[in-house]
Amino acid sequence: MKKIVILGGGISGYGSAVLAKKKGFDVFLSDAGRVAERYAKVLDEWGVDWEQGSHTMERILAADLVIKSPGIPEKAEVVKALREKGTPIISEMEFAAKYMGRARTICITGSNGKTTTTSLIYKILSDAGFNVALGGNIGESFAYQVATAEYDWYVLELSSFQLDGMYDFRADVAVLMNITPDHLDRYDYSFEKYAASKMRIVQNQHSLSYFVYSADDEAIARQIALHPEMRQRQLPFAARTAIASAAGDGFYAGEEFSARVGDRELTIDCKRMKIKGLHNAYNAMAAALAALAAGVEPTQVERSIYDFTPVEHRLEPAGEKDGVEWINDSKATNVDSVWYALQSMTRPTVWIAGGTDKGNDYEPLKAFAREKVKALVCMGLDNEKLVREFTGVVPEVVSCSSLDEAMREAQKCASEGDTVLLSPACASFDLFKNYEQRGELFKQWVEENVIQNSKFKIQN
């Protein structure tokens, strides 16, 4: 019996373990940290042998195949030992795809916008009555859904880490939103290595596959130029660079955008969309093209786009009182995401940023900061770089080491007619478990200290 080891007991790991167990493999799951109670319960129900708190290397190195959770880096000792032994290591996506039968996939990646785009594509297909599941970096585990249900379509948000462990997998519709510097610490601080990882979204595609991509993105253009062998049907979308394609395309012209795939086409009035800003026009264009490629009727695509509400933690309104609006953009963990957030601001802005810097170059943000930001509140354990970069760029820069302190400083800086924007440009790991917790605590603080005007104080 083939031995499969699962590294990591999070959502990716537990789902892979269940699928491997269902397919009759000898399964062992190992997590150096702690396995959440809800995942542990499922593992026990399925009779999966698992451990937490350490790695039993003898059992791990005896594996015929290892499925690695995306959060475990290549530099981890357990991964280096497996590589040295020559053990194949794949991702949950690669493993699950082998057992999904005749189902088809729409796969979305990019440095920014992928969660909104993925959620919108899923909504469009679901509204249209498709038998569709949501997975990858969002929703339920892809592998768990393959193990426990049958779907005709999977809409999968894929990170570069997941793509790195995918080899034979082929997306029926691949969507590449953009490529901007992010997670460079995992790619030897090489942007080209990171870009090549993102481009794996199109590997193995053939002439019947679709590739939806931003024609405005120079990094994507460079990657396409490196792959003259590409034969899939290309569906570019753009706001600046009009590139027509025989298969179809999308173009944004100020107040509206058009999207066409074959003889199916539509026009969206962006003023009617509930998600605002140029970045969301890009997201909606990509989603429209992907949905049309999947066979959804244009009228249904239009209805779903107009009905779609903002994704949590991405330019999410958190409340307004005394003429000051508070916006939760905690998911903006890199410079490019913040660029779109600042670009969409229409009022004087008190900007809360900071966290674990990932080697950021803040230069692209300075023009918008000069134009729109009245105060920058830096929230992190080490704010030296942010303070240095924006002193003299914005009128006031304040350094804070906790959420509560940062929120109180932002409240002091804000006046009627202003916006307080949490858009960190950094990872959350210095003060929070993840960007979700950071966003939830931000919203909680606003509700209890601004909307209700209570004395509550969050302890960090």
Side-chain angles (χ1 to χ4, degrees):
M1 185 183 298
K2 192 172 185 179
K3 294 180 179 179
I4 290 185
V5 166
I6 317 293
L7 288 182
I11 189 168
S12 172
Y14 104 96
S16 299
V18 168
L19 178 58
K21 188 73 175 180
K22 182 173 182 178
K23 294 302 176 182
F25 295 108
D26 180 353
V27 186
F28 175 58
L29 183 146
S30 179
D31 193 315
R34 184 171 179 80
V35 176
E37 186 176 341
R38 60 192 174 115
Y39 299 144
K41 181 180 178 182
V42 175
L43 293 172
D44 289 339
E45 288 174 351
W46 281 82
V48 174
D49 190 9
W50 62 279
E51 67 177 354
Q52 63 181 354
S54 63
H55 289 311
T56 303
M57 292 303 297
E58 183 179 358
R59 293 194 67 178
I60 292 171
L61 293 176
D64 298 304
L65 175 70
V66 170
I67 303 168
K68 181 177 75 69
S69 295
I72 301 174
E74 284 289 315
K75 64 183 179 182
E77 292 301 322
V78 63
V79 177
K80 290 195 289 187
L82 287 163
R83 294 292 187 199
E84 185 175 339
K85 190 172 184 295
T87 306
I89 302 175
I90 63 174
S91 71
E92 172 205 1
M93 305 295 123
E94 178 78 1
F95 181 64
K98 298 178 186 298
Y99 302 102
M100 67 179 188
R102 298 171 64 89
R104 289 176 286 177
T105 59
I106 301 176
C107 300
I108 303 93
T109 196
S111 305
N112 301 294
K114 56 184 178 291
T115 298
T116 297
T117 305
T118 302
S119 300
L120 180 50
I121 293 170
Y122 173 72
K123 174 178 172 55
I124 295 170
L125 267 64
S126 182
D127 289 350
F130 282 45
N131 178 26
V132 58
L134 178 68
N137 244 17
I138 183 175
E140 179 56 274
S141 159
F142 175 37
Y144 186 80
Q145 293 180 100
V146 169
T148 59
E150 290 188 9
Y151 294 97
D152 297 325
W153 285 90
Y154 289 93
V155 178
L156 304 173
E157 177 188 319
L158 301 179
S159 70
S160 57
F161 304 156
Q162 289 165 320
L163 287 165
D164 288 338
M166 295 164 67
Y167 303 96
D168 298 325
F169 182 100
R170 180 179 67 243
D172 293 287
V173 181
V175 182
L176 180 52
M177 299 302 300
N178 44 60
I179 308 176
T180 63
D182 198 8
H183 302 297
L184 297 189
D185 52 328
R186 287 278 291 261
Y187 295 94
D188 301 325
Y189 294 93
S190 166
F191 178 64
E192 291 308 314
K193 287 183 179 179
Y194 171 68
S197 176
K198 286 294 188 188
M199 198 63 184
R200 291 171 70 91
I201 192 77
V202 301
Q203 66 185 355
N204 304 316
Q205 285 198 306
H206 51 54
S207 60
L208 297 180
S209 308
Y210 286 96
F211 177 35
V212 180
Y213 68 94
S214 170
D216 287 338
D217 192 291
E218 294 179 2
I220 294 177
R222 289 197 300 272
Q223 286 296 316
I224 290 175
L226 293 173
H227 293 274
E229 76 283 359
M230 291 172 60
R231 295 291 181 267
Q232 66 272 70
R233 292 175 282 194
Q234 297 189 14
L235 302 174
F237 61 91
R240 299 190 297 269
T241 309
I243 296 183
S245 168
D249 47 64
F251 189 73
Y252 172 75
E255 299 294 336
E256 63 182 30
F257 72 78
S258 60
R260 176 187 63 85
V261 176
D263 60 357
R264 297 188 302 279
E265 57 185 313
L266 55 83
T267 299
I268 293 292
D269 179 356
C270 295
K271 297 190 297 298
R272 292 179 55 192
M273 289 168 47
K274 296 176 182 177
I275 50 175
K276 306 300 182 183
L278 175 60
H279 65 292
N280 277 319
Y282 278 116
N283 296 340
M285 271 194 292
L289 289 171
L292 290 172
V296 181
E297 290 300 319
T299 53
Q300 180 60 64
V301 176
E302 292 171 8
R303 282 196 296 269
S304 295
I305 288 176
Y306 289 137
D307 189 50
F308 183 72
T309 54
V311 171
E312 192 174 17
H313 308 303
R314 189 68 180 105
L315 289 173
E316 176 191 13
E320 182 169 349
K321 189 172 182 182
D322 300 327
V324 177
E325 65 174 357
W326 297 71
I327 295 179
N328 167 31
D329 195 39
S330 183
K331 199 174 189 303
T333 59
N334 58 46
V335 168
D336 198 56
S337 270
V338 177
W339 187 94
Y340 283 107
L342 292 178
Q343 184 267 341
S344 70
M345 293 298 102
T346 58
R347 312 197 318 178
T349 301
V350 177
W351 172 30
I352 304 173
T356 303
D357 185 278
K358 298 184 283 187
N360 291 344
D361 174 9
Y362 294 106
E363 200 63 34
L365 301 180
K366 291 182 180 178
F368 281 139
R370 287 190 185 94
E371 176 188 351
K372 302 187 177 193
V373 176
K374 62 183 289 187
L376 168 61
V377 178
C378 304
M379 178 180 67
L381 297 180
D382 182 5
N383 298 318
E384 182 181 350
K385 184 175 179 180
L386 271 172
V387 171
R388 182 178 69 249
E389 290 285 336
F390 288 95
T391 296
V393 176
V394 301
E396 184 175 2
V397 179
V398 183
S399 181
C400 302
S401 58
S402 73
L403 175 67
D404 184 70
E405 182 187 2
M407 297 295 280
R408 295 191 187 283
E409 287 296 332
Q411 195 173 34
K412 288 179 190 175
C413 294
S415 306
E416 183 177 355
D418 291 351
T419 295
V420 178
L421 170 70
L422 170 67
S423 194
C426 298
S428 55
F429 307 126
D430 58 340
L431 295 174
F432 311 96
K433 292 179 183 177
N434 46 44
Y435 77 80
E436 292 98 338
Q437 187 196 40
R438 177 170 59 192
E440 290 299 334
L441 290 175
F442 174 86
K443 291 190 291 183
Q444 181 181 341
W445 198 99
V446 171
E447 176 63 27
E448 299 188 354
N449 292 271
V450 178
I451 307 303
Q452 298 179 9
N453 197 26
S454 74
K455 303 288 187 182
F456 179 84
K457 176 170 175 150
I458 291 173
Q459 300 296 325
N460 284 315

